[in-house]
Amino acid sequence: MSRYIATRAMRGATAIVTEADVMLNKALHEKGADTPVSFPNTAYFLPTILGMTGRSVEKIGDLKPVMEQARAMLHPIPANAKWTPYLGETLDSGMATLLAAETIEAIRFVYGLQPERMEGFNLAGGTSYGEQNGHGHLNGPIDDIQLRSWGIQLVDGRMPGFAAIVGCAKSNEVAVKLVRELQRRNILTFLSGNVNGRSIIHQLQEEGVELGYDTYTVPFGTDTISAIYALGFATRSALTFGGLKPGMSREILLYNKERVFAFVLALGEVDDLKYAAAAGAINFGFPVIADTVIPEILPTGITTYEHVVSMPFNQIDGKDDLEKAERLVQKCIEIRGVKVKVSNVDVPVPYGSAFEGEVVRKADLRVEFGGKYSRAFEYLHMAKLDDVTDGKIEVIGPDFSQTEPQGHLDLGIIIKVAGRQMQQDFEPVLERQVHYFVNGASGIQHVGQRDIAWIRISNSAADKGFNLEHFGKILHARFHEDFGAIVDKVQVTIVTDANLHAEWLEKARAAYDFRNKRLADLTDNKVDEFYSCTLCQSFAPNHVCVVSPERLGLCGAYNWLDCKASFSINPTGPNQPIKLGKMLDNRKGYWQGTNDYAAVGSHGVVTEVSMYSIMENPMTACGCFECIVMLIPEANGVMVLSREDTAMTPAGMTFSTLAGIAGGGLQTPGVMGVGKFYLISPKFISSDGGFKRIVWMSSVLKESMADEFKAVCEREGDPDFMSRVADGASATTVDELLAYLEAHNHPAMAMEPMF
């Protein structure tokens, strides 16, 4: 253990704890002990403090014992004359730093100083903080909604880990290169800190790099203290997906070491506070890599591999700064052991999942296909091996080079695939991937599917040479990469010619209609096997999803056909067939095979799973669910709460609070996490009364799925049923809910009791 690092970390910890004490005393005097204090849109209070100490901080006065605990973890500076190991004291100092940093940020919220404001800054979507008036906020702490929406990407490997970058790069060019290399590998990146007042956030802003949730690159703040939000994110990952409880500090730290692949990249001078914050990160098993000369801690132990590594930028082997930046990122990944999958796609723009959420706004629009003024469709179909020329990409009709800026064109993307293991049932599964594959290109926006696709190409992408042929190159490369086990050949035709477009659109719609009828006929009682989905076990070790034709995965990303295709691609992967065996209870959905699998898959935690009940042995959840269904006993029905809904509910809890009950692999009768399209299934809690048990629903769900719910209401014989279902505008308490249900004659009030 380096005495130099220990000295700097302990000195930095003492300074920030003192600063936090001063701020707390000032806040107690000016605001009072009973003034509420919190981070916005989270049920985890101040998450690092909650996880490490078990304290639910709700008022300024609640911070007093936190700071007492932080001060108790400080240690004297090591003496020059006598060597001691220092490791325990350094880690204590790091944890004290984290408690103090979160205290400071919480008090800043009380004074309106968080999230940090930056002149001329706008976030790339996904947060409530960004303002569009040129004087926007940086991100501040990540809210629970975003944490959960990233959940499926974290567990399925698309987002293999996260990087916390602190400081300022050697140049703007290097800053952009570092971020692009991380984006290319789909690594979530958090930005904070500065060197002499200049931050990597400033550098990226000056170069026009979009920052925000949409681009996997989140700016927390321009001081080192804001790096606490990255550790809060890590703590909440353990609480949200791992089923761990507040105060289980050792288990939370080990969970992060083993399951959350994160590292700290310190750019520029490392001062006392950065050493102290780094010691805090090492507690979580996150190594620290610096691009300057600092002492190293190479033995393993708290981290999986090295703890602190110095990689001075000027000494990195590379022909120029950009190559050195790439090698620096490679070294970080190596030291943390991040398992990275990089797509090699021959396009003139950066490519990776980090660009999937990019929005091409009208001011930067070169051309669009679909939307209000034109028609775009996508159609994938299988053919015989001899009828497909692998790698053939053909553009039939005019390119957009002659289209006026911000103009529009009709577009058809026709993908012909062949493979010995390919099945017709896999066509819609593969076709849906077009959305993700195309969106991976920087400067390209893709929305929708089938014949309502909407694609935009930005000016920046067009200026770099992106053209229609590149859609074909993307699809050819990605289908081979992701579906190579079932796809041997891929041929893509891009159609803008008006006559051919109309001809193929008619063929595509006939195929869509056939598939719809096929899916409608695919019911639970017509198959002899369901599928497991254990993707989320990397984060929630005891959770198991059972996916059937009439019940998709709770994340909403995997249905029965997806799982069937996944098993064909990877027979030893997360989606395994479950032979149903003996039917034990047809009404509640018990089979011998599903029960046997639940016991094995959950490591004995769950022994029975009812596929069709919320009240008896409901399916468990991790934390990636799109909605929460919860019993409202007084109403004799259930409410459905969307992940996007942050408001209070008649249950007296918000989504984030309820998610702690529904998630973590726990089996809780009366509470269940689900995918939103399960709501329209005939098997939705069918043994408990089905769709008509819904008494309250988030308005965002009512609006976004209005057409689907209309069809269900007609199926259920009550076309006006949705008008009888309350939402946040009509009821936020049980009393208001009951009054609404009585006034609108809701059928649940007359149904048999749910329990």
Side-chain angles (χ1 to χ4, degrees), residues 427-436 449 557-559 562:
E427 287 180 347
V429 176
L430 270 61
E431 189 177 274
R432 283 205 311 275
Q433 305 310 308
V434 173
H435 170 75
Y436 301 104
Q449 58 181 310
Y558 291 85
N559 63 28
D562 293 321

Side-chain angles (χ1 to χ4, degrees), residues 444-578:
I444 311 300
Q445 176 185 335
H446 183 289
V447 179
Q449 58 181 310
R450 288 189 168 185
D451 59 349
I452 57 170
W454 182 19
I455 305 173
R456 285 184 157 192
I457 297 177
S458 70
N459 285 318
S460 59
D463 291 344
K464 291 174 183 174
F466 192 95
N467 58 39
L468 294 182
E469 184 183 1
H470 290 117
F471 287 132
K473 290 186 175 183
I474 290 170
L475 296 173
H476 176 261
R478 290 301 307 273
F479 276 121
H480 272 297
E481 180 182 330
D482 288 29
F483 294 92
I486 58 175
V487 171
D488 298 324
K489 292 183 176 181
V490 181
Q491 179 177 327
V492 183
T493 303
I494 311 294
V495 175
T496 60
D497 175 80
N499 293 330
L500 199 58
H501 183 276
E503 177 185 334
W504 273 102
L505 179 58
E506 184 177 350
K507 292 179 183 179
R509 284 174 170 166
Y512 303 153
D513 186 56
F514 174 82
R515 292 172 188 171
N516 290 341
K517 292 174 181 176
R518 164 77 173 124
L519 288 172
D521 291 339
L522 193 62
T523 57
D524 287 2
N525 61 2
K526 291 185 179 179
V527 300
D528 59 5
E529 62 186 20
F530 294 165
Y531 283 90
S532 69
C533 186
T534 56
L535 272 172
C536 295
Q537 285 199 346
S538 59
F539 272 66
N542 298 321
H543 162 60
V544 176
C545 250
V546 179
V547 181
S548 77
E550 295 182 272
R551 181 167 186 172
L552 81 168
L554 58 90
C555 64
Y558 291 85
N559 63 28
W560 188 83
L561 284 177
D562 293 321
C563 293
K564 182 181 179 183
S566 172
F567 176 68
S568 296
I569 295 165
N570 183 6
T572 60
N575 303 122
Q576 296 292 310
I578 302 171

